[in-house]
Amino acid sequence: MSDQDATVNHDYGASDITVLEGLEAVRKRPGMYIGSTGERGLHHLVYEVVDNSVDEALAGYCDHIEITILADGGVRVSDNGRGIPVDEHPTEHRPTVEVVMTILHAGGKFGGGGYAVSGGLHGVGASVVNALSERMDVQVDRGGKTYQMQFHRGEPGRFSDGASGPDPGSPFSAFTESSVLDVVGKVAKKKSGTRVRYWADPEIFLASAAFSYEELVERARQTAFLVPGLTISLVDERERAAGENAEKEGAEGEAPHKGPHTETFRFDGGTVDFVDFLAPDAAVTATMRLTGEGTFAEKVPVLDAESGHLVSREVERTVAVDVALRWGKGYETRVESFVNIIRTPGGGTHQSGFEQGLMKVLRSLVESNSRRLKMSAKDPRIEKDDVLAGLTAVVTVRLPEPQFEGQTKEILGTSAVRGIVSGVVERELGAILGSSKRDQKTETSRLLEKVVAEMRARVTARMHKEISRRKNALEASSLPAKLADCRSEDVAETELFIVEGDSALGTAKLARSSEFQALLPIRGKILNVQKASTADILKNKEVSEIIQVVGAGSGRTFDLPAARYGKVIMMTDADVDGAHIRTLLLTLFFRYMRPLVQEGRVYAAVPPLHRIEVSGGKGGKKRYIYTYSEDQLHAELRKLERAGKSYREPIQRYKGLGEMDAHQLAETTMDPSRRTLRRIRMEDEQALMEAEAVFELLMGNDVAPRREFIVEGAAAVDRDRIDA
């Protein structure tokens, strides 16, 4: 028997049972209420306070909310709603402000008539924020007066602040006998509202946790979209208001913004504006708004006015549905779902109902237009991925007391919502897409063609994937005959060079290492996939062969682990035509093999522009210097002149890769130990959005914006920049 075993207390009695009172449970297990004690939880506190103000806006009593990140790390949220009631609570016999802020399940969201719908933690949020704050000050404007109550880690009392103003470290005196709601000022009689100022408790939260300005901006903007007519201001009083993007903001000659910074959001178009904001690509359809409602009955505990207790009763719930959606030319899907303005990243019954209604409408339309779409009985059925390709949608529902899967409300669980949302989508979207108006018929036709093209692309991509994987000699024989493959099957070391023209191919075959370097020649300029339809893309021999050789499929079915090469390298001439071909290839990779780009597996070779032949070397041997720009050329020539070295004139300028012999091509462009490659990648979501915009501008169908771009930039272009 060990010493440890000897010390175990085998007695287990009533004294071993701990009862956590008041807000102690929250402080003991904060993750149960806010998800984490890191940055995520820190932001969650802000959202809970803001959501209480938003509930006032949803009820029609508030039209402005201001969120302030204080310089000392505190947060202040102000609204012009009705204000928390300031009279004594009839059953608790203490100020209602204290009841709301200190009792977990106290609020106006339990069927008492205060709110029809609400976000937040349903009466838990305010008290949870209070429990996890080192200090909280609540001020209420009502009836011509400003009332105040202060709390220290959830306990009501008063702080003795000095001349420097409110400080969570100020001396605190807790109320001992009874709580007092102090009157601290006067306001106009018609003015009302609530201000909550708090400092998150450093005993609870990680020292590394800090507010992200960008995330708070995103949340404020999102809320403004979802509540039309509501103005939300975000003020950051910290030293550097722009956070992570401060350096970027100052990149164009302006100093990064310091000190207080305010952004204000208001969107009267609601979910339609939200979808237009989120959509990353050119439109196939206009943005459509689908609205409706439905009812369902459920048995829930309701507060009985006479007894003051909860009793089980069957109540009728009304679900309001508001959906905005549009299809774009791309294949990426972005569906954002919300319940009472609370984002549900895990989806739930409202999102599944939306997808269900969507599938019913589109399948029905495809079947009724099968002849025009050239669909036959042999064609596979339309699947969800075909319909969702290129879709941007915002799905919102509002209902009293929604049931979520988990305290942090990431997934809606109320089962009746699925059928209601599906019915609204089926009815409203069917009416729009089935309209006999000429413009709408044209738009519907484009959408159906896109859905069918996505189905065929999916089938073709799956077939490509199956036939392109190199597992044995027989399978390898199905690859394009012009592919000069490598011997190694180790993806980590293999490289695919896409070579411009047969002339460069011949030289590249001699210059490469056949062990790990494969060559695929292309003839001139490939198809611009940004402007082409999916059907045209699949018919194009060059594009089809590139997809086949890479071996991972395309579009939504692209499977990165199936890619046959670790690097895909575009090796084109260092001229205008070569740059154009690179751009066309990049458009293909970005549109249909995007994970390759995102993982940094696409490269551009950097061939030299000049070769300087230097004479008078050791033993009279000639030496060669390669340069990659005009500036580098002139710099090398000046070095040689200062050193008294002679060089042969004229300087050789390469017009294409075909002018190099195998040794020169290997030395400058293909040998991993001596070459230079430019990696193509996207670092973050912002870079992705910028790339989407650039590809659409430069490679899309609209000529006018591209012409405007060229005209605006022409003044900044000179010969030196072109040559570089």
Side-chain angles (χ1 to χ4, degrees):
M1 187 174 181
S2 68
D3 293 339
Q4 184 178 357
D5 292 335
T7 60
V8 173
N9 182 9
H10 295 282
D11 294 330
Y12 179 60
S15 60
D16 296 302
I17 304 300
T18 302
V19 178
L20 299 176
E21 299 181 354
L23 301 179
E24 292 178 359
V26 182
R27 294 184 60 82
K28 185 71 174 176
R29 298 284 188 267
M32 291 178 59
Y33 297 88
I34 60 171
S36 81
T37 55
E39 187 173 289
R40 178 188 174 194
L42 200 65
H43 289 117
H44 200 98
L45 294 188
V46 181
Y47 305 153
E48 289 299 339
V49 180
V50 172
D51 288 345
N52 285 335
S53 297
V54 173
D55 289 338
E56 282 289 287
L58 292 173
Y61 299 104
C62 169
D63 62 7
H64 189 268
I65 300 171
E66 183 175 275
I67 309 162
T68 304
I69 308 302
L70 303 173
D72 60 2
V75 177
R76 182 176 64 242
V77 178
S78 308
D79 67 55
N80 63 348
R82 291 171 292 182
I84 301 172
V86 294
D87 49 348
E88 184 179 275
H89 193 271
T91 59
E92 294 293 324
H93 304 294
R94 45 182 170 151
T96 302
V97 172
E98 182 186 350
V99 173
V100 170
M101 293 295 169
T102 59
I103 299 180
L104 273 182
H105 297 282
K109 306 167 188 179
F110 297 104
Y115 299 94
V117 297
S118 66
L121 287 177
H122 308 309
V124 178
S127 52
V128 166
V129 177
N130 191 16
L132 301 179
S133 297
E134 185 179 14
R135 171 175 177 170
M136 174 182 280
D137 298 347
V138 181
Q139 291 188 342
V140 180
D141 295 330
R142 284 185 74 136
K145 298 177 181 178
T146 297
Y147 299 86
Q148 177 175 279
M149 183 168 279
Q150 300 176 318
F151 305 86
H152 176 63
R153 297 190 169 106
E155 186 176 10
R158 293 190 182 97
F159 284 92
S160 300
D161 294 314
S164 58
D167 185 346
S170 298
F172 177 77
S173 301
F175 293 133
T176 54
E177 296 183 2
S178 61
S179 301
V180 178
L181 185 63
D182 295 319
V183 177
V184 296
K186 294 182 179 180
V187 294
K189 283 196 175 183
K190 292 185 178 180
K191 184 179 179 180
S192 61
T194 303
R195 289 176 298 283
V196 177
R197 178 175 58 204
Y198 72 90
W199 289 261
D201 195 344
E203 292 183 1
I204 299 292
F205 291 90
L206 301 174
S208 58
F211 292 110
S212 166
Y213 182 78
E214 289 72 26
E215 183 170 330
L216 293 171
V217 163
E218 184 180 351
R219 178 62 182 253
R221 184 190 292 115
Q222 166 193 296
T223 304
F225 276 126
L226 295 172
V227 189
L230 174 64
T231 301
I232 300 182
S233 301
L234 178 62
V235 183
D236 195 335
E237 295 183 349
R238 295 173 299 174
E239 177 67 13
R240 191 170 290 231
E244 298 172 1
N245 292 333
E247 298 297 338
K248 184 177 178 181
E249 290 186 6
E252 298 181 359
E254 297 181 6
H257 188 94
K258 293 186 178 183
H261 179 61
T262 303
E263 287 193 63
T264 300
F265 304 99
R266 178 188 171 106
F267 304 100
D268 294 325
T271 53
V272 172
D273 286 351
F274 200 178
V275 166
D276 291 339
F277 173 78
L278 293 174
D281 50 8
V284 171
T285 69
T287 302
M288 296 166 277
R289 187 179 185 190
L290 320 174
T291 60
E293 64 179 33
T295 60
F296 69 98
E298 68 174 344
K299 190 168 282 188
V300 297
V302 177
L303 188 65
D304 184 77
E306 294 182 4
S307 65
H309 298 291
L310 291 172
V311 294
S312 185
R313 291 179 184 169
E314 189 172 271
V315 298
E316 186 176 83
R317 304 294 199 193
T318 299
V319 181
V321 181
D322 185 355
V323 176
L325 73 164
R326 55 90 94 178
W327 277 270
K329 293 181 178 179
Y331 60 85
E332 295 292 329
T333 304
R334 179 114 185 232
V335 178
E336 298 285 348
S337 61
F338 301 86
V339 178
N340 300 347
I341 71 90
I342 303 301
R343 184 170 177 261
T344 46
T349 54
H350 55 329
Q351 188 164 327
S352 61
F354 164 72
E355 293 174 354
Q356 181 180 308
L358 210 61
M359 291 299 298
K360 283 185 180 178
V361 173
L362 270 299
R363 276 177 173 168
S364 174
L365 286 171
V366 168
E367 288 172 6
S368 60
N369 292 272
S370 58
R371 190 170 181 178
R372 183 177 59 78
L373 296 168
K374 298 179 181 177
M375 293 276 290
S376 69
K378 295 182 180 179
D379 286 312
R381 199 180 189 199
I382 298 296
E383 294 184 2
K384 185 170 76 172
D385 283 350
D386 309 326
V387 172
L388 295 183
L391 176 70
T392 303
V394 174
V395 181
T396 66
V397 294
R398 293 180 183 174
L399 71 156
E401 300 185 49
Q403 303 301 312
F404 294 95
E405 297 180 15
Q407 184 65 273
T408 53
K409 308 185 300 295
E410 295 190 348
I411 302 173
L412 178 65
T414 307
S415 58
V417 173
R418 180 184 293 105
I420 293 172
V421 175
S422 177
V424 170
V425 172
E426 190 176 352
R427 182 180 65 254
E428 297 293 312
L429 185 61
I432 294 173
L433 297 182
S435 172
S436 58
K437 294 180 180 178
R438 181 190 295 179
D439 291 346
Q440 186 57 61
K441 286 178 71 175
T442 303
E443 199 169 276
T444 302
S445 179
R446 286 202 305 266
L447 173 60
L448 297 181
E449 288 171 0
K450 175 180 173 62
V451 171
V452 172
E454 290 291 342
M455 178 272 291
R456 289 171 177 155
R458 168 173 55 82
V459 173
T460 305
R462 188 176 296 165
M463 183 178 62
H464 278 160
K465 189 190 300 184
E466 290 172 357
I467 68 174
S468 66
R469 295 181 179 177
R470 181 181 58 223
K471 298 208 177 182
N472 51 53
L474 180 63
E475 206 171 31
S477 68
S478 68
L479 295 170
K482 63 184 182 180
L483 171 70
D485 212 350
C486 57
R487 293 191 298 273
S488 174
E489 295 189 10
D490 183 359
V491 174
E493 70 169 1
T494 55
E495 301 175 347
L496 173 65
F497 284 83
I498 299 177
V499 184
E500 179 187 349
D502 292 335
S503 60
L505 175 66
T507 309
K509 279 184 177 179
L510 299 173
R512 70 166 177 156
S513 170
S514 58
E515 176 63 29
F516 66 92
Q517 292 180 326
L519 304 172
L520 177 67
I522 57 173
R523 293 183 180 178
K525 297 170 183 171
I526 71 165
L527 182 71
N528 179 5
V529 299
Q530 187 78 14
K531 293 195 287 189
S533 67
T534 307
D536 290 337
I537 293 167
L538 296 173
K539 290 178 190 173
N540 185 267
K541 187 172 180 291
E542 302 293 325
V543 172
S544 181
E545 287 180 344
I546 292 172
I547 293 172
Q548 186 179 351
V549 169
V550 173
S554 64
R556 295 176 63 85
T557 63
F558 187 86
D559 183 14
L560 184 62
R564 300 172 65 243
Y565 304 97
K567 291 185 177 73
V568 178
I569 302 168
M570 301 172 292
M571 193 164 68
T572 60
D573 293 340
D575 56 12
V576 174
D577 283 341
H580 191 187
I581 293 170
R582 271 197 316 276
T583 304
L584 292 167
L585 287 169
L586 280 173
T587 306
L588 170 64
F589 291 130
F590 181 76
R591 281 284 164 235
Y592 291 92
M593 300 184 227
R594 187 173 297 175
L596 269 182
V597 183
Q598 291 173 321
E599 288 297 313
R601 291 170 63 171
V602 178
Y603 297 81
V606 185
L609 290 175
H610 319 92
R611 186 183 73 162
I612 307 170
E613 185 179 312
V614 183
S615 55
K618 208 174 199 182
K621 190 176 179 181
K622 297 176 182 177
R623 180 168 68 93
Y624 300 97
I625 299 172
Y626 297 94
T627 60
Y628 296 83
S629 68
E630 292 292 331
D631 288 343
Q632 189 182 2
L633 171 65
H634 296 314
E636 289 293 341
L637 293 179
R638 285 194 295 271
K639 277 188 199 176
L640 292 172
E641 288 170 0
R642 285 197 296 269
K645 301 283 180 74
S646 59
Y647 53 87
R648 182 177 177 181
E649 295 202 64
I651 305 296
Q652 180 174 358
R653 192 186 197 290
Y654 294 111
K655 295 179 181 177
L657 296 170
E659 294 184 5
M660 297 184 188
D661 60 32
H663 173 75
Q664 294 167 2
L665 185 61
E667 183 180 4
T668 62
T669 314
M670 299 190 74
D671 185 348
S673 64
R674 289 183 283 185
R675 71 190 181 191
T676 299
L677 298 177
R678 289 196 182 104
R679 175 182 272 184
I680 315 299
R681 66 183 309 168
M682 295 171 293
E683 298 293 341
D684 51 27
E685 190 72 22
Q686 183 63 33
L688 173 60
M689 293 177 66
E690 290 173 359
E692 287 276 9
V694 169
F695 275 110
E696 182 58 34
L697 172 67
L698 300 180
M699 308 299 290
N701 286 309
D702 294 338
V703 177
R706 184 158 54 248
R707 184 186 296 116
E708 186 179 339
F709 171 81
I710 294 170
V711 171
E712 287 179 356
V717 178
D718 54 28
R719 181 173 293 278
D720 290 338
R721 288 189 65 183
I722 294 173
D723 290 341

